[in-house]
């Protein structure tokens, strides 16, 4: 049976969680695999997360790596509250 | 544009206390939504939070208007300054609250069109300002917008059945009943008090909802 389509908040959570599970630092291929997104969607989300400062991008030994910011950690911590709030007040997109 | 006091004498003062209470609750709801928007970037949170901050500003304006009135009736202040503050407060209340309800309706429509929002808002505010009785027109307009929001929150509850969504639906229903009572308060001032009590129930429910959500 197909699972429920993920909404934007859940996708962001899955991406940030993938980074957290790798001790807060991960390469793009790993995130793409764990987030279960198409390449196009993945790039759009990464761009958004970098703009919103939930992730930062660094280059280590010539490889691009993504790390969680404090705001990213806060998002993960507050995720259930964000979901409850948006559900309760009909704020899903 | 005319603005008249609909407060029954026995309720004078209590209305100010209630309006301050409503301003505090709606400020709390608005700030909570905007803090979550800062984390998540969810556009609907920004619209919802902004709307509730506008509602808070509306109640602050209304409480100032009614405080000036109560002060004057109590023997303090001049008629002209009380009248000026009262009219300013009433107009500010209607403009802020209308903008808030238009913002909530726009959020509920789930469309991304700033020009549609601007058109909707300008039309509503223009009709208010040009009406012969701003208060009467405002309560009718607010009731129409709240009917739409009540149906929106009913659909939200039916799609996502849990206590918090039910509480939100009931809260908006009481807000609607409150605003409808104010329509009749122009000729029957006791309805003004009933309207405030219905709003008290509505905002208390919203506060309870917020505690349920935030404590998770």
């Amino acid at each position: 049976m197909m699972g429920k389509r993920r909404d934007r908040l859940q996708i962001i959570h899955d991406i940030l969680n993938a980074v957290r599970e790798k001790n807060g630092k991960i390469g793009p291929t790993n995130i793409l695999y764990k987030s279960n997104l198409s390449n196009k969607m993945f790039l759009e989300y990464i761009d958004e997360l970098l703009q919103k400062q939930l992730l930062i991008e660094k280059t280590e030994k010539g490889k691009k790596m993504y790390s969680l910011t404090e705001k990213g950690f806060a998002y993960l911590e507050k995720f259930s509250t964000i979901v409850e709030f948006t559900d309760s007040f009909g704020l899903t997109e | 544009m005319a603005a008249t006091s609909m407060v029954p004498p026995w309720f004078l003062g209590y209305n100010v206390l209630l309006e301050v209470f409503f301003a505090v609750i709606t400020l709390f709801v608005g700030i909570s939504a905007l803090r979550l928007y800062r984390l998540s970037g969810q556009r609907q949170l920004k619209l919802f939070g902004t709307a509730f901050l506008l509602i808070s500003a509306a109640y602050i304006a209304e409480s100032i208007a009614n405080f000036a009135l109560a002060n004057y009736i109590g023997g303090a202040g001049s008629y002209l300054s009380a009248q000026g503050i009262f009219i300013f407060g009433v107009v500010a209340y209607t403009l802020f609250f209308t903008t808030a309800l238009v913002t909530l309706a726009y959020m509920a429509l789930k469309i991304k069109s700033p020009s549609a929002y601007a058109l909707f808002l300008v039309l509503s505010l223009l009709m208010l300002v040009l009406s012969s009785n701003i208060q009467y027109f405002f309560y009718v307009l607010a009731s129409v917008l709240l009917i739409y929001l009540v149906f929106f929150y009913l659909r939200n509850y039916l799609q996502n059945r849990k206590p918090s969504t039910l509480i939100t639906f009931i809260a908006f229903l009481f807000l609607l009943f409150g605003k409808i009572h104010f329509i009749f308060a122009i000729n029957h001032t006791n309805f003004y008090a009933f309207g405030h009590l219905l709003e008290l129930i509505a905002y208390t429910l919203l506060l309870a909802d917020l505690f349920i959500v935030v404590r998770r």
Side-chain angles (χ1 to χ4, degrees), chain B residues 1 25 29 34 70 76 86-87 139 145 167 176 192-193 197 203:
Chain B
M1 187 199 308
I25 293 176
V29 172
L34 290 174
F86 180 75
I87 290 173
Y139 290 123
L145 291 170
I167 290 170
L176 169 62
Y192 180 89
L197 293 176
Y203 291 119

Side-chain angles (χ1 to χ4, degrees), chain A residues 4-72:
Chain A
K4 192 178 159 185
R5 188 166 165 256
R6 288 186 299 172
D7 67 6
R8 179 185 164 276
L9 293 173
Q10 184 67 53
I11 292 171
I12 291 172
H13 174 268
D14 290 348
I15 293 171
L16 297 179
N17 204 39
V19 180
R20 181 171 59 178
E21 282 176 350
K22 285 282 181 181
N23 295 317
K25 209 189 290 186
I26 193 171
T29 312
N30 261 324
I31 306 179
L32 181 60
Y33 172 71
K34 283 184 177 289
S35 64
N36 202 22
L37 289 169
S38 67
N39 194 49
K40 181 175 178 279
M41 291 297 293
F42 166 75
L43 290 171
E44 281 177 17
Y45 272 98
I46 287 292
D47 199 42
E48 185 183 343
L49 295 177
L50 289 170
Q51 270 184 27
K52 290 196 159 66
Q53 298 177 324
L54 291 162
L55 285 181
I56 49 170
E57 186 182 286
K58 289 177 183 170
T59 307
E60 280 184 14
K61 295 175 187 172
K63 284 185 183 176
K64 206 186 285 186
M65 300 294 274
Y66 295 104
S67 304
L68 280 178
T69 60
E70 262 188 54
K71 202 171 160 189

